[in-house]
Amino acid sequence: MRIAILDKERCKPRNCGTECIKYCPKVRSGDETVVMGEDGKPVISEELCVGCGICIKKCPAKAIMIIGLPDKLEGQLTHRYGDNGFALYGLPIPSTGRVSGILGPNGVGKSTAVKILSGQMMPNLGSKTTTWDDVYKFFSGSELQDYLKRVSGKSIKTSQKPQYVDLIPKAFKGKVSQLLKRADERGMLDSMAADLDLTNILDREISDLSGGELQRVAIAACIMRDAGFYFFDEVTPYLDIFQRIKVAKIIKKMGEEKNVMVVEHDLAILDLLADMVHVAYGEPGGYGVITHPKGVRVGINEYLKGYLPEENIRIRPQPIEFDVKAPKEQKDVEKLIDFGSFSKTFEKFRLDVKGGQLRKREVVGIVGPNGIGKSTFAKLLAGVMDPDAGKLDFKVKISYKPQYIKTDIDMSVRMFLRSISPKFDTSYVRTEILLPLQIERLMDCNVNDLSGGELQRVAIAACIGREADIYILDEPSAHLDVEQRTLATKVIKRFAENNDVTVMVIDHDIYMIDLLADRLLVFDGEPGVSGEVHGPFEMREGMNRFLSSLDITFRRDEETRRPRVNKPESNLDREQKKIGEYYYLPQTE
């Protein structure tokens, strides 16, 4: 079975010679395999196409995909966006009494599935003449048949938390309390404000909130609506690990009596809050397949391995692997700088740094709650501000990627990266940065038109593309799917090793820190009041110090060696806390 996909946003027939028509061998032999449609864009006949791939190579805009699909997907098409449009196969199944997760890369139809489940659109089964009766017949005998009948009959109400919470201030003007009172259909404003630490910001304007505050407000608003189906699209971006675990527990408890579905790329949190997962796979922008539900551990492990035994399909050439052991001490690595103790005092906040050493060719993970001074520390190192006590007498260049990426750059990605450094035109940068970060297809797109994940990858490339001694990336995992996080991790680690530089990564995704970091800087204190910087420590010492402040323990999964959060008060949790090993028991490494 074969489908043809045309990205109509990339396709610009006026700027090319319609190479897809001109060079198609079937067109040359007289068939109408590729014709110009009513909208001025080409239409590819999937019945006549032989899959030679010439149109793919000849298209200057790289707007065509010809994809071979397993024959068993024939007759399972759930929705298609018109001729040569994205195709979705399968739907996740909402289930009362347990939290359902959806795990998969960006661009394979997770949002489309949710729009169908929430009643925003009817699954067209690939036909322009589909009716709801056709849909009921298609899903007859499954749990989805009854659910979709209720959706189409408007007897089920849905509540959704959007993915990009930074867009909320554009849609709502006013105070936090006004937004939450409007959403509070279950009479739980006070309890939810307390649970999500929103009490102190209720009188603030929505436009003045940070990303983490917006995220918690959006989660609260979603939960407080009286609905039959709740959907959370990425609950972790901008939240620190403390807040992530708190949100996971709230959603987990909510799922005991409600239909709850979550899309999440932080696997430690998904593992903690979900009872089962649907694995989504496919070609981003081309097609997506959503599997039947799997146990959360089985689903995550199969996704990481890249092979789904039940479906008998390989979704990735190589598995995502985790180091069997925490990175070893690197005694022979050349140091970059030594820094002594120093401090910085503001009107309502004080940061104290104990001093330490940064080495070349290493990645230092930075962990700690939000509002604890991590960005202030970066600015002090960079010389953007001076300490009040102590002295920083070294001169190092720092390249910094901020946590919140805001841009009004009206130029192409290619021109933007060239404006940062001419080396973006070199084959080395193309091979080591642009291709692994999947930026090649974005080079001719306008920066203002990029999605959150696309903008994040461009920002990572821009940061490590500058000439510097220390590179600091603040939450590079935000809006990236699991595979993109893995690719970004490899790029960052290889960049540090090959260029005699130090990379510092601030992130709350324990999986990414575990894959990436050689050592850890640990921030603790009282957020918004005082912060202390300790380290860098070797991984075991640093993670034990950090996880003990969270009061959680980790173990390695027996199959994939990935980090997993132990259930509170389980035998293993109590055993590890008793001996002070919060990271992993040494024998599991």
Side-chain angles (χ1 to χ4, degrees), residues 416-437:
F416 170 64
L417 294 177
R418 282 178 178 172
S419 70
I420 289 172
S421 173
K423 68 181 184 181
F424 277 104
D425 287 327
T426 64
S427 58
Y428 172 81
V429 170
R430 180 176 181 271
T431 303
E432 295 295 317
I433 298 177
L434 299 182
L435 284 176
L437 288 177

Side-chain angles (χ1 to χ4, degrees), residues 327-557:
K328 297 180 180 179
E329 185 176 0
Q330 302 177 16
K331 295 180 179 179
D332 300 328
V333 177
E334 182 183 355
K335 75 175 181 181
L336 178 68
I337 58 170
D338 285 309
F339 57 92
S341 60
F342 59 90
S343 64
K344 180 69 176 179
T345 304
F346 299 92
E347 184 179 351
K348 297 182 179 179
F349 180 79
R350 176 183 171 87
L351 177 68
D352 290 291
V353 182
K354 299 300 183 182
Q357 182 186 91
L358 298 179
R359 306 166 180 168
K360 293 184 178 180
R361 298 187 296 281
E362 77 168 354
V363 179
V364 177
I366 299 179
V367 293
N370 288 333
I372 206 72
K374 298 188 290 292
S375 297
T376 299
F377 176 74
K379 292 174 183 176
L380 287 164
L381 283 185
V384 175
M385 58 177 66
D386 296 320
D388 300 322
K391 189 177 181 180
L392 297 176
D393 54 2
F394 48 80
K395 298 295 181 183
V396 292
K397 290 183 179 179
I398 289 186
S399 177
Y400 178 57
K401 185 203 81 67
Q403 179 182 15
Y404 307 119
I405 305 169
K406 296 181 179 179
T407 179
D408 56 355
I409 301 172
D410 189 16
M411 64 173 71
S412 69
V413 171
R414 189 186 309 278
M415 295 304 297
F416 170 64
L417 294 177
R418 282 178 178 172
S419 70
I420 289 172
S421 173
K423 68 181 184 181
F424 277 104
D425 287 327
T426 64
S427 58
Y428 172 81
V429 170
R430 180 176 181 271
T431 303
E432 295 295 317
I433 298 177
L434 299 182
L435 284 176
L437 288 177
Q438 301 173 337
I439 293 176
E440 279 284 287
R441 281 181 59 84
L442 306 176
M443 294 298 277
D444 295 318
C445 298
N446 193 291
V447 175
N448 288 332
D449 297 332
L450 299 181
S451 68
E454 292 167 343
L455 189 58
Q456 185 70 260
R457 302 201 306 273
V458 170
I460 294 171
C463 177
I464 62 179
R466 298 185 181 95
E467 292 294 335
D469 304 300
I470 299 175
Y471 296 81
I472 302 177
L473 297 105
D474 198 342
E475 202 164 344
S477 69
H479 303 309
L480 299 186
D481 62 41
V482 176
E483 297 185 45
Q484 291 167 345
R485 292 181 189 200
T486 304
L487 291 172
T489 296
K490 291 179 180 178
V491 169
I492 294 167
K493 199 167 184 65
R494 188 164 56 234
F495 178 80
E497 292 171 349
N498 293 344
N499 292 277
D500 285 343
V501 297
T502 301
V503 178
M504 305 177 78
V505 176
I506 303 167
D507 212 286
H508 303 293
D509 184 338
I510 296 296
Y511 278 58
M512 192 165 189
I513 291 294
D514 190 65
L515 281 167
L516 190 58
D518 299 303
R519 294 192 298 157
L520 284 185
L521 271 173
V522 181
F523 283 63
D524 58 26
E526 185 178 351
V529 178
S530 64
E532 289 188 357
V533 185
H534 306 273
F537 301 107
E538 301 304 322
M539 282 294 287
R540 172 166 293 282
E541 182 181 358
M543 287 300 288
N544 272 329
R545 185 181 186 118
F546 175 57
L547 294 176
S548 64
S549 67
L550 288 170
D551 196 36
I552 62 172
T553 57
F554 271 73
R555 71 185 186 278
R556 285 199 186 276
D557 183 82

Side-chain angles (χ1 to χ4, degrees), residues 137-301:
K137 184 177 180 181
F138 183 82
F139 289 104
S140 62
S142 72
E143 296 177 64
L144 281 168
Q145 182 186 35
D146 180 62
Y147 178 83
L148 291 174
K149 280 185 177 180
R150 294 166 62 198
V151 166
S152 63
K154 308 296 183 183
S155 63
I156 186 168
K157 184 180 177 182
T158 62
S159 178
Q160 294 185 52
K161 187 212 79 71
Q163 179 181 8
Y164 300 117
V165 296
D166 50 326
L167 300 179
I168 293 176
K170 296 180 181 178
F172 182 87
K173 306 295 181 184
K175 296 182 183 296
V176 173
S177 58
Q178 293 173 315
L179 186 151
L180 293 182
K181 284 178 181 177
R182 181 182 296 183
D184 188 20
E185 298 171 350
R186 301 171 62 196
M188 54 191 308
L189 174 56
D190 292 339
S191 61
M192 191 53 56
D195 290 343
L196 292 175
D197 301 322
L198 300 174
T199 305
N200 294 332
I201 66 170
L202 289 176
D203 292 328
R204 287 173 55 188
E205 295 289 329
I206 289 289
S207 57
D208 295 334
L209 299 185
S210 67
E213 290 165 341
L214 280 172
Q215 187 72 268
R216 285 179 283 134
V217 168
I219 292 168
C222 180
I223 292 173
M224 291 191 300
R225 292 190 175 92
D226 187 12
F229 173 63
Y230 294 84
F231 175 74
F232 298 87
D233 198 345
E234 293 192 40
V235 296
T236 59
Y238 309 129
L239 299 186
D240 62 40
I241 186 65
F242 297 83
Q243 296 163 341
R244 293 181 183 203
I245 291 174
K246 185 178 291 187
V247 166
K249 290 178 178 178
I250 291 172
I251 294 176
K252 178 82 170 179
K253 184 176 181 181
M254 181 184 177
E256 294 174 359
E257 56 185 34
K258 300 285 186 179
N259 276 324
V260 179
M261 190 167 287
V262 181
V263 170
E264 183 51 62
H265 300 300
D266 184 332
L267 295 185
I269 299 302
L270 182 65
D271 195 11
L272 188 63
L273 68 83
D275 299 296
M276 61 184 195
V277 296
H278 297 264
V279 176
Y281 66 91
E283 182 70 33
Y287 80 100
V289 181
I290 297 179
T291 69
H292 293 297
K294 305 171 183 284
V296 64
R297 177 181 175 273
V298 171
I300 292 177
N301 285 355

Side-chain angles (χ1 to χ4, degrees), residues 20 34 58 65 114 298 306 312 350 430 445 581:
C20 56
V34 189
K58 292 294 184 180
M65 289 186 281
V114 170
V298 171
N312 191 27
R350 176 183 171 87
R430 180 176 181 271
C445 298
E581 291 289 354

